[in-house]
């Protein structure tokens, strides 16, 4: 079963169990539609409601999971129109009762839901064997709700694992620390777009001393109730990223070393600083834009801006100048 579209699994959970048993080198192709988790892989709960809340999809060592198929393709390159609202959109949803309603944008964003039937995470992984060869590609991830648990929180929650995340849309989630929460891992994010999520802190929250060169490229974090990117105790490379029109800080570094930013924009937030550096060293930004009128430095050394631009005047019609090169 599952060797062709004609013999495809009728449950994504069952398909995941099968590919996890098959081991590294396996690909899982997921046809268009909406899929909801039913299991809490390797996590035992005796309480029925706890099992619902902690249900999730997971990642496996060396397994590549692709969405966005019409159900006729013979290669991943043949996928088309699988973005937001596309004909082949493939949705992973924690909204088990289909009753979530999203309205507004950034500080006016509201997500009406029933937290009793939304899962705490949609993607949850804590397997240290999940590294770059483990891929999640071509999905919309929505419907997560968890404002209670401090450490196990996020539409995507990764602990001590470092997969490759590509071509993802993250929207309509409600969380505490991060919509995407990464702890003690070094994943690579390519073309990941997080928009219209409610989170107390940041859309992307990276923390832990074991993170080495997390990569964030061609990603956007816009229209969220919460900040953009938070990097704590880690290093990272940020390339072609936009963090704008959120209700919080665009980029925050805390206890971080060797963070590099290229060709990126951090602007248009509606509160707090657009760039905040605290207890960090070796921050280098190249050809990027920041709203320096809301710029915070604390106990930070070796900060370098090369060919960067202050866009505050472009955002504020009452500014006295037309932007300043940093």
């Amino acid at each position: 079963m599952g060797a062709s579209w004609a013999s495809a699994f009728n449950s994504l959970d069952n398909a995941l169990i099968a590919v996890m048993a098959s081991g590294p080198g396996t690909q899982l192709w997921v046809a268009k539609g909406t899929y909801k988790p039913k299991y809490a892989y390797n996590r035992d709960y005796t309480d029925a409601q706890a099992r619902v809340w902690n249900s999730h999809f997971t990642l496996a060592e060396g397994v590549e999971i692709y969405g966005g198929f019409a159900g006729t393709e013979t290669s991943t390159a043949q996928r088309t129109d699988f973005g937001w609202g596309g004909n082949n959109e493939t949705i992973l949803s924690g909204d088990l009762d289909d009753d979530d309603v999203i309205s507004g944008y950034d500080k006016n964003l509201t997500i009406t839901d029933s937290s009793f039937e939304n899962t705490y995470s949609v993607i949850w992984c804590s397997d240290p064997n999940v590294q770059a060869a483990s891929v999640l590609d071509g999905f919309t991830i929505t419907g997560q709700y968890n404002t209670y648990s401090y450490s196990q929180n996020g539409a995507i929650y990764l602990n001590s694992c470092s997969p490759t995340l590509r071509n993802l849309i993250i929207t309509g989630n409600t969380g505490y620390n991060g919509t995407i929460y990464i702890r003690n891992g070094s994943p690579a994010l390519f073309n990941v777009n997080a928009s219209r999520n409610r989170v107390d802190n940041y859309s992307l929250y990276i923390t832990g001393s074991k993170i080495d060169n997390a990569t964030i490229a061609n990603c956007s974090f816009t229209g969220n109730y919460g900040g953009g990117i938070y990097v704590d105790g880690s290093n990272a490379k940020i390339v072609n990223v936009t963090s704008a029109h959120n209700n919080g800080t665009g980029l925050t570094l805390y206890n971080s070393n060797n963070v590099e930013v290229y060709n990126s924009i951090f602007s248009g937030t509606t509160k707090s600083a657009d760039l905040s550096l605290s207890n960090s060293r070796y921050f280098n930004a190249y050809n990027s834009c920041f709203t320096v009128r809301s710029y915070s430095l604390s106990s930070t050394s070796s900060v370098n801006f090369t060919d960067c631009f202050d866009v505050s005047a472009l955002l504020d019609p009452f500014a006295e100048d037309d932007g300043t090169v940093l």
Side-chain angles (χ1 to χ4, degrees), residues 20 95 116 188 245 268 287 293-294 306 308 310:
M20 289 168 69
D95 178 19
F116 288 100
H245 303 291
N287 194 35
R293 61 181 175 185
S294 52
T306 302
C308 291
D310 169 12

Side-chain angles (χ1 to χ4, degrees), residues 31-323:
K32 62 184 178 181
T34 299
Y35 301 85
K36 300 177 181 181
K38 298 179 181 178
Y39 303 120
Y41 299 82
N42 299 320
R43 303 173 74 196
D44 295 325
Y45 297 93
T46 57
D47 180 76
Q49 184 62 64
R51 285 197 300 272
V52 171
W53 286 333
N54 289 281
S55 295
H56 58 270
F57 298 114
T58 194
L59 306 176
E61 179 185 359
V63 172
E64 302 173 37
I65 306 172
Y66 295 92
F69 294 91
T72 59
E73 296 87 351
T74 57
S75 75
T76 58
Q78 294 174 348
R79 295 177 299 164
T80 60
D81 197 21
F82 58 86
W84 176 254
N87 288 329
N88 297 322
E89 184 180 18
T90 309
I91 301 171
L92 306 181
S93 177
D95 178 19
L96 302 182
D97 284 355
D98 288 321
D99 61 354
D100 289 7
V101 177
I102 308 170
S103 61
Y105 199 73
D106 59 56
K107 66 179 180 180
N108 297 313
L109 175 67
T110 61
I111 302 175
T112 303
D113 55 30
S114 170
S115 61
F116 288 100
E117 50 74 29
N118 286 59
T119 61
Y120 285 165
S121 295
V122 180
I123 301 293
W124 195 97
C125 181
S126 63
D127 182 355
N129 295 315
V130 169
Q131 298 296 314
S134 303
V135 176
L136 185 70
D137 182 318
F139 293 92
T140 296
I141 298 174
T142 190
Q144 170 258 351
Y145 186 100
N146 181 0
T147 61
Y148 313 110
S149 174
Y150 180 82
S151 62
Q152 300 183 31
N153 179 24
I156 298 177
Y157 174 84
L158 305 176
N159 186 4
S160 302
C161 51
S162 304
T164 299
L165 307 178
R166 287 195 304 249
N167 303 319
L168 302 178
I169 296 170
I170 320 293
T171 189
N173 299 284
T174 303
Y176 179 71
N177 261 338
T179 303
I180 304 170
Y181 187 93
I182 299 165
R183 185 178 185 87
N184 290 329
S186 301
L189 282 68
F190 302 102
N191 195 30
V192 174
N193 301 294
S195 181
R196 302 180 77 194
N197 300 283
R198 282 190 67 93
V199 62
D200 285 7
N201 288 310
Y202 291 82
S203 298
L204 174 61
Y205 195 105
I206 303 174
T207 184
S209 59
K210 296 180 181 179
I211 292 181
D212 183 26
N213 288 325
T215 300
I216 308 152
N218 302 323
C219 297
S220 67
F221 305 89
T222 59
N224 299 288
Y225 188 97
I229 301 173
Y230 181 90
V231 181
D232 174 11
S234 315
N235 57 15
K237 181 176 286 187
I238 300 170
V239 183
N240 297 333
V241 168
T242 297
S243 175
H245 303 291
N246 300 299
N247 190 44
T249 306
L251 172 64
T252 294
L253 307 181
Y254 182 75
N255 286 336
S256 295
N257 295 313
N258 297 316
V259 173
E260 297 183 348
V261 176
Y262 299 86
N263 307 324
S264 296
I265 297 173
F266 299 92
S267 63
T269 56
T270 54
K271 73 172 187 179
S272 302
D274 289 314
L275 173 63
S276 178
L277 310 179
S278 182
N279 298 320
S280 297
R281 296 187 302 165
Y282 308 118
F283 172 76
N284 295 285
Y286 305 90
N287 194 35
S288 296
C289 295
F290 301 90
T291 308
V292 189
R293 61 181 175 185
S294 52
Y295 178 99
S296 174
L297 291 176
S298 175
S299 301
T300 295
S301 61
S302 300
V303 176
N304 173 61
F305 294 95
T306 302
D307 296 328
C308 291
F309 194 72
D310 169 12
V311 296
S312 59
L314 304 180
L315 299 172
D316 185 352
F318 300 105
E320 296 180 356
D321 56 39
D322 59 354

